[in-house]
Each structure stands twice: as structure tokens, then as C-alpha cells.
Amino acid sequence: VMKGFNDNELYDFVNLTKNKPVDVRFIEWMPFAQNGWNNDKFVSYKDMLTLLQEQHEEHLSGNDSIGVNNENGIDTSIFKRETDGANDTTKWYSLQPSSVGRVGFITSMSQHFCNTCNRLRITADGNLKVCLFGSDEVSLRDALRMKKENENELSEEDLRLLVHMAVRGKKAVLGGHGSSQGIKDADDNRPMTLIGG
């Protein structure tokens, strides 16, 4: 979601969850190489919820009324907080009073989930990334090819150790950059289109 670009469309997407069993997820704009990220266009998860509440009020008919129940700034008559999975990257909600689908927010910048992240990525060119925001990569492709050229196959144990060492080297928060601005300033990561998700 980007301020001034698509933040006015949130409610239209959320409305899809009323009668359809779909999950709609909004992701905070993340800084990657060549994507033009800047803080002025950033919309946080809390800002998205505020926008959705405002857009909900605009869509009310004359017979509807907005509730006054409030929990941490979230109108609970509009959104019900659902249970997230143990390693979920999404904060799940459902539109009230009874929606068929769910609405989720991926809060990787404003409320990162690095401490519960259990994801690894293998890029199209065979590199293992232990953090989406980190520039450190281990070439599994090269390790597999090097062993083949020496006529020795890379054993499962060798591969396990290689992955284990990469995971142990993972930085604690946001690839070691500390914040979204730190990620942008470092400018040492691939574009998301070359990472995959």
C-alpha cells in the first residue's frame, strides 16, 4: 500500500471478504533496490486500519451506524482481530458483523516479525537468503556444481551444514539494518523481483 497511489482502494478490497471466502492481505511498502521507496509514501498497518475505518464510514447507508467499541484505536464493531499462526507474517482480521473471508496486514516495517520468522528463500539463480532484507546470500548452486565437477556428490549432511551455517549467520532484525530507513540507506539488496517470495 502506498500513500497517494492506492490507499484510497483499501475498503473496496476489504468488501470482497464480506460474501466471498477470500483472504485479502495488505503489505506495507518495503524498501528494495530500484523501487523508489520513500517514507513520505509509506502507509503503516495502523494507518491502514484508520483509513479503512474512515472509508467504512463513507460507505455506510443511512440505516447503518458505526459502533463506538474501541480496542487500541480499532473499532471492534467493524473489525474483529483473529488468531494468527505461530510464525505468521500476517495480522488477521475479519469484517464485522460476519464476513466469509479475512483481511490481513503484513507489517514488516512498522511491527516487524523478525523474532518469529522461520522463512528461507532460494532465488532463481540458486542463492539461499535467510532474511528478505539482508544482502547476505549463500550460493547453493555453486556448492552443488563444485562438488559435481570434483565427481563427488554433495551429501545431504554437507547441504544441511551449509544451510545451518547460513541460518546461524542471520541478523536479528531487518537484515541488520535496524529500520526501513536503514534498509533504504544501505541499498545493498536485490530488487524484490530478483528475490521472489
Side-chain angles (χ1 to χ4, degrees):
V1 176
M2 294 168 55
K3 194 177 296 177
F5 182 73
N6 58 3
D7 57 337
N8 63 334
E9 300 172 352
L10 299 179
Y11 194 77
D12 294 333
F13 282 102
V14 169
N15 240 355
L16 294 172
T17 69
K18 278 185 178 178
N19 301 312
K20 296 180 184 348
V22 296
D23 288 341
V24 172
R25 292 193 294 174
F26 299 109
I27 188 167
E28 293 178 340
W29 189 25
M30 301 175 289
F32 285 97
Q34 303 168 9
N35 78 349
W37 188 91
N38 70 66
N39 204 42
D40 294 337
K41 291 188 176 220
F42 177 74
V43 182
S44 73
Y45 145 70
K46 292 289 186 183
D47 291 342
M48 287 184 228
L49 281 170
T50 300
L51 281 168
L52 280 166
Q53 290 175 167
E54 291 169 1
Q55 292 171 7
H56 178 76
E57 289 180 41
E58 292 171 10
H59 285 83
L60 287 176
S61 69
N63 298 327
D64 291 330
S65 64
I66 195 158
V68 292
N69 301 324
N70 193 294
E71 184 177 304
N72 297 322
I74 299 162
D75 188 333
T76 56
S77 67
I78 302 172
F79 296 106
K80 177 185 172 206
R81 184 73 164 90
E82 301 292 341
T83 304
D84 306 329
N87 300 100
D88 211 336
T89 60
T90 305
K91 291 178 177 27
W92 289 108
Y93 289 82
S94 59
L95 193 59
Q96 295 302 299
S98 59
S99 61
V100 180
R102 299 183 301 171
V103 179
F105 300 89
I106 301 174
T107 63
S108 47
M109 295 293 98
S110 66
Q111 293 181 17
H112 68 78
F113 34 83
C114 300
N115 59 336
T116 61
C117 181
N118 65 352
R119 282 142 177 85
L120 301 174
R121 286 178 169 79
I122 298 177
T123 62
D125 57 354
N127 286 351
L128 175 69
K129 287 186 72 71
V130 295
C131 177
L132 181 62
F133 304 111
S135 58
D136 296 339
E137 298 180 0
V138 174
S139 179
L140 299 179
R141 178 200 61 198
D142 290 350
L144 290 165
R145 285 182 179 170
M146 187 169 43
K147 281 290 196 170
K148 271 223 184 278
E149 288 171 9
N150 294 329
E151 296 185 22
N152 296 322
E153 284 193 29
L154 188 68
S155 71
E156 282 188 36
E157 179 63 16
D158 292 338
L159 190 57
R160 188 190 71 73
L161 285 171
L162 189 58
V163 171
H164 179 77
M165 288 175 57
V167 171
R168 286 190 55 116
K170 180 180 178 179
K171 309 285 191 304
V173 176
L174 299 175
H177 301 297
S179 69
S180 52
Q181 191 61 48
I183 296 168
K184 179 186 185 299
D185 292 344
D187 195 30
D188 62 354
N189 201 357
R190 297 174 181 231
M192 186 65 180
T193 55
L194 297 180
I195 294 173

